[in-house]
Amino acid sequence: MKTLSDLIAEGVSGRRVLVRADLNVPLDGDKITDDGRVRASAPTLEALADAGARVLVAAHLGRPKGEPDPAFSLAPVAERLGELLGRKVELGTEAAGDGTVVLLENIRFDPRETSKDDAERGALADELAAKADAFVSDGFGVVHRKQASVYDVAKRLPHYAGNLVLAEVEVLHKLTNDLKRPYVVVLGGAKVSDKLGVIANLLTKVDRLLIGGGMAYTFLKAQGHEVGRSLLQEDQVEQVAGFLRDAEARGVELVLPVDVLAATDFAADADYDVVAATAIPADRQGLDIGPESQKLFAAKLADAQTVFWNGPMGVFEFEAFAGGTRAVAEALVKSDAFTVVGGGDSAAAVRALGLPEDGFSHISTGGGASLEFLEGKELPGVAVLADDPTEGGA
């Protein structure tokens, strides 16, 4: 695939360049609470603008219902992006003068962006392509989506991989084709159902799998333990029991918490006790892995040569229940392994806990895309970039 460097070498001064970025940041009202994705996107936009391109940025925010909604406006993002670039970023509809950056309003305000109908998506892609001379895909967080501004527009313009997408693809290929062992994966987050495919695939590849977060309770239930009022996906217990059998058959070490912080309520100030993971009281819910689990997980990461981590170990947004996530993150910072933080809540946790981002080999900007790649799925927004970008046309 051709890259941003190739495009700039070809010359972009005066040319209109459409960039699909991932600017899907969390907001509190109109205040950005974590600008990591904006900061990650800035270098590509700056490189194009500095080279004289007329940059038009397409991005989404949240999940509006296919119509304009002020709650999902990209206005706060335009302001923050302008601060980072040191130049005003307007919300507009067309690329402006040489060296300018214009941000389109939330592309998901148009229902055609996410339509399953090829013709509907194609019509929006035609409109986007008419605004540009070249397309740069730099939103790794959306490349697993077959959407108009991700996939279809790339079939209509000379297209290039931005630096973010290129870096992500290189890292993921390293995780699948050039990894050093022991290979340890840490999975957390709320629901095991979100990670069924990736767990099934990873059990054929990893040496050790550590399970924390809300999803751990479904594993504990599958082992025959009661989990009180902890998050439980009862309909997944049989599937998870199959994972436990598969791991044993393949010689994969599957590690679960040995103790948890069992709280009275789901609240930042809830009372809690440290209890064995196999003895959670009926009226309590686990909100984090316990201190012995933290030590166990750190020990299981100590000899790793390759680590992929996706999903917090507990409700890290509550200070009292952030210890497990911090322990895993700190173990990775201390590690000499090739360490990849798989985007999403894990990346947000690293920043929220004040840990050094350069302490990890790579922090992904796309949790869902990373997981789908590791699940063995093709990423449409990456596959389309491998086509000959000189052909253009759809």
Side-chain angles (χ1 to χ4, degrees):
M1 63 181 73
K2 284 202 169 185
T3 67
L4 176 69
S5 297
D6 294 324
L7 174 59
I8 290 176
E10 292 168 13
V12 293
S13 182
R15 296 177 68 189
R16 302 168 302 159
V17 179
L18 174 66
V19 179
R20 183 36 160 115
D22 181 8
L23 303 175
N24 186 27
V25 294
L27 293 177
D28 181 5
D30 61 356
K31 302 295 183 185
I32 298 173
T33 58
D34 179 3
D35 69 352
R37 283 176 170 161
V38 186
R39 288 187 287 109
S41 298
T44 287
L45 305 179
E46 184 173 39
L48 286 166
D50 285 349
R54 302 180 177 194
V55 185
L56 184 65
V57 186
H60 76 279
L61 180 66
R63 297 189 177 186
K65 301 185 185 301
E67 58 186 30
D69 183 340
F72 296 105
S73 173
L74 281 168
V77 175
E79 182 178 352
R80 180 62 181 137
L81 193 55
E83 293 170 355
L84 292 167
L85 295 176
R87 65 187 88 208
K88 189 169 182 61
V89 175
E90 299 278 3
L91 271 182
T93 59
E94 303 283 342
D98 295 2
T100 61
V101 178
V102 174
L103 178 61
L104 290 170
E105 185 53 285
N106 194 332
I107 194 71
R108 289 189 183 171
F109 284 175
D110 191 319
R112 297 174 296 174
E113 165 70 0
T114 57
S115 174
K116 301 297 184 186
D117 185 277
D118 290 351
E120 289 183 359
R121 288 199 323 274
L124 176 56
D126 287 341
E127 293 173 17
L128 291 171
K131 300 174 184 288
D133 305 304
F135 173 68
V136 174
S137 176
D138 205 41
F140 183 74
V142 289
V143 294
H144 57 313
R145 307 295 190 195
K146 194 173 184 180
Q147 297 177 346
S149 68
V150 177
Y151 175 83
D152 300 272
V153 75
K155 299 180 77 68
R156 288 158 167 78
L157 288 170
H159 45 261
Y160 306 80
N163 290 342
L164 271 181
V165 165
L166 193 64
E168 297 275 7
V169 170
E170 288 174 351
V171 165
L172 290 174
H173 275 292
K174 191 168 183 177
L175 283 177
T176 51
N177 301 319
D178 188 30
L179 62 86
K180 295 181 179 178
R181 296 185 180 278
Y183 177 26
V184 182
V185 170
V186 186
L187 293 179
K191 295 181 178 180
V192 69
S193 58
D194 293 339
K195 298 184 170 77
L196 293 176
V198 75
I199 292 171
N201 199 42
L202 285 172
L203 286 175
T204 70
K205 303 180 184 304
V206 302
D207 300 297
R208 196 175 296 145
L209 182 60
L210 280 53
I211 303 289
M215 61 189 290
Y217 302 104
T218 302
F219 277 82
L220 290 167
K221 181 70 171 180
Q223 287 186 327
H225 306 299
E226 293 303 320
V227 296
R229 294 192 294 112
S230 305
L231 185 63
L232 173 65
Q233 288 188 282
E234 192 77 53
D235 61 335
Q236 300 298 330
V237 170
E238 187 174 337
Q239 174 82 59
V240 167
F243 289 151
L244 292 168
R245 291 191 295 270
D246 193 22
E248 185 175 7
R250 293 179 180 277
V252 173
E253 187 179 3
L254 198 153
V255 183
L256 296 175
V258 293
D259 61 348
V260 304
L261 304 189
T264 53
D265 294 292
F266 186 87
D269 59 353
D271 291 331
Y272 66 88
D273 292 309
V274 178
V275 304
T278 56
I280 301 172
D283 61 346
R284 297 287 183 110
Q285 55 187 303
L287 296 188
D288 195 12
I289 62 172
E292 291 306 313
S293 299
Q294 294 176 24
K295 294 175 188 175
L296 173 65
F297 281 27
K300 295 297 183 182
L301 289 165
D303 66 342
Q305 291 298 301
T306 305
V307 181
F308 177 82
W309 168 37
N310 180 279
M313 298 294 99
V315 188
F316 74 91
E317 298 89 345
F318 298 160
E319 185 177 351
F321 306 108
T325 302
R326 180 183 292 278
V328 166
E330 289 179 342
L332 297 190
V333 169
K334 294 174 185 174
S335 173
D336 294 327
F338 179 70
T339 54
V340 178
V341 180
D345 286 342
S346 308
V350 167
R351 292 187 283 268
L353 296 173
L355 295 165
E357 294 187 39
D358 60 2
F360 306 88
S361 304
H362 181 73
I363 298 180
S364 178
T365 55
S370 297
L371 288 174
E372 289 206 9
F373 187 94
L374 292 179
E375 192 176 329
K377 291 183 177 179
E378 181 179 81
L379 304 179
V382 172
V384 73
L385 299 178
D387 297 340
D388 184 356
T390 63
E391 291 180 359

